Amino acid sequence: MKLSRVTLAVLGIALVLGATACGGSSSGLPAGAVAVVNGTEIPRADLDALIARARKGYAAQKQSFPKEGTQEFQSAQALYLNFLVQKAEFEQQAKDLHVTVTGKDVDKSLASFLKTRYPGKKKAQFQLDLKAQGLTLDAFRDTLRVSVLSQKIFDVVTKDVKVDPQEVLAYYEQNSSSYGSAESRDVRHILIAAKDKNGQVDFAKSKAEADRIRSQVTSSNFAALAKKYSADTGSKDSGGKLTDTKGNFVPEFEVVAFKLKTGEISQPVKSTYGYHIIQALAPVKPANRTPFEQVRASIRATLLQSKRNQAMTQWVQDLTTRYKSKVKYAPGFAPPAVPTTDTTTTTQ
């Protein structure tokens, strides 16, 4: 598997890419800097290097990178600059949160990456992919360092997030359909749907034809008549057989399908599709529900991750607000103001 383009989203980093404009003025910057984040300079060379890697990444995927001077290029440039700005913000905040990233942390992240993306003895391919993307191993390790930093910040910011037992139970009750199945029954049917000149169902003609076929149908010839006459292309080839899970079919059909005795054949039943001749093939299978205790842990994990992501999103939005007056851009590099959106995610 080849390396993905060098973006934070691909590496599962908890940064907001292009989600918020960071504000700030565009004057008084040191030579060669495209932005200054609360005293931390972002050199033009760093931005150019990211864009150069992106070009190679696009080329490796046989895609064209936006041409300079186009709106698409400006948007891409703003995206990569926003990454560098938020990287600087995260690194500054890491000090206040007492978060550090060691070489061993990066080694562990790299080993995990290689095990997942390059299983077995495929390190040679990894080196080729790095080269194709215009990356050195040190540069890739630095990208992983940012990923590890972001994950550690995420862990600190969200460490006090809890899920109450009542929330877990409420989720289970509100999503009960996801933890079991409704009543169901194996049936078969013949759909008669004669059409008028406009291609619409001619109910009078369909009823007459359904009555004619119903007078002939028996358990022994039902399948043959379904194959010959049924307008339901999804079931006719199997003799009209299907499983009706309650709630999946039109009400008129289901009322009859679940009331029939096993083996009984109905009179023609009208629905929006035409007329159905239905036979119950087996008893009704009762609804079942996975016990709460069997899914409690998974529901709690889902809710906890969701709440942690929400907490991290809010933290990033607050961080952006706090840094609004602390970020300054060189002329032509300030991002346009865009609405805030919840795009913060992380991986566990």
Side-chain angles (χ1 to χ4, degrees), residues 87-103 105 144-159 312 315:
K87 174 174 175 274
E89 293 173 355
F90 269 48
E91 288 172 338
Q92 292 177 10
Q93 289 301 301
K95 297 177 182 178
D96 295 336
L97 296 172
H98 304 292
V99 170
T100 58
V101 178
T102 66
D105 291 329
L144 290 179
R145 185 188 66 80
V146 179
S147 179
V148 174
L149 176 69
S150 299
Q151 183 63 56
K152 285 194 171 189
I153 290 177
F154 177 88
D155 292 340
V156 172
V157 169
T158 65
K159 64 182 176 63
M312 186 64 184
W315 184 84

Side-chain angles (χ1 to χ4, degrees), residues 21-77:
C22 296
S25 65
S26 58
S27 61
L29 269 67
V34 289
V36 173
V37 182
N38 195 29
T40 299
E41 295 181 23
I42 298 179
R44 173 67 184 268
D46 288 358
L47 178 60
D48 289 344
L50 272 184
I51 293 175
R53 293 172 194 166
R55 289 183 192 279
K56 288 193 175 184
Y58 271 71
Q61 301 289 334
K62 299 188 180 344
Q63 296 183 19
S64 299
F65 192 77
K67 294 182 179 180
E68 291 191 36
T70 64
Q71 183 61 48
E72 291 77 11
F73 178 84
Q74 294 299 321
S75 297
Q77 179 177 261

Side-chain angles (χ1 to χ4, degrees), residues 13-14 112 128 141 144 152 179 186 264 285 302 306 310 336:
I13 297 174
S112 176
L128 291 174
R141 283 177 60 87
L144 290 179
K152 285 194 171 189
Y179 299 102
D186 292 335
E264 185 180 2
K285 294 179 182 178
T302 297
S306 177
Q310 291 172 13

Side-chain angles (χ1 to χ4, degrees), residues 271-291:
S271 79
T272 55
Y273 297 103
Y275 282 86
H276 309 263
I277 300 169
I278 308 168
Q279 182 180 29
L281 297 177
V284 174
K285 294 179 182 178
N288 66 74
R289 195 177 188 187
T290 304

Side-chain angles (χ1 to χ4, degrees), residues 20-22 315-326:
T20 54
C22 296
W315 184 84
V316 172
Q317 291 174 350
D318 293 343
L319 179 68
T320 299
T321 299
R322 294 200 308 272
Y323 269 80
K324 190 169 185 178
S325 62
K326 300 178 182 179

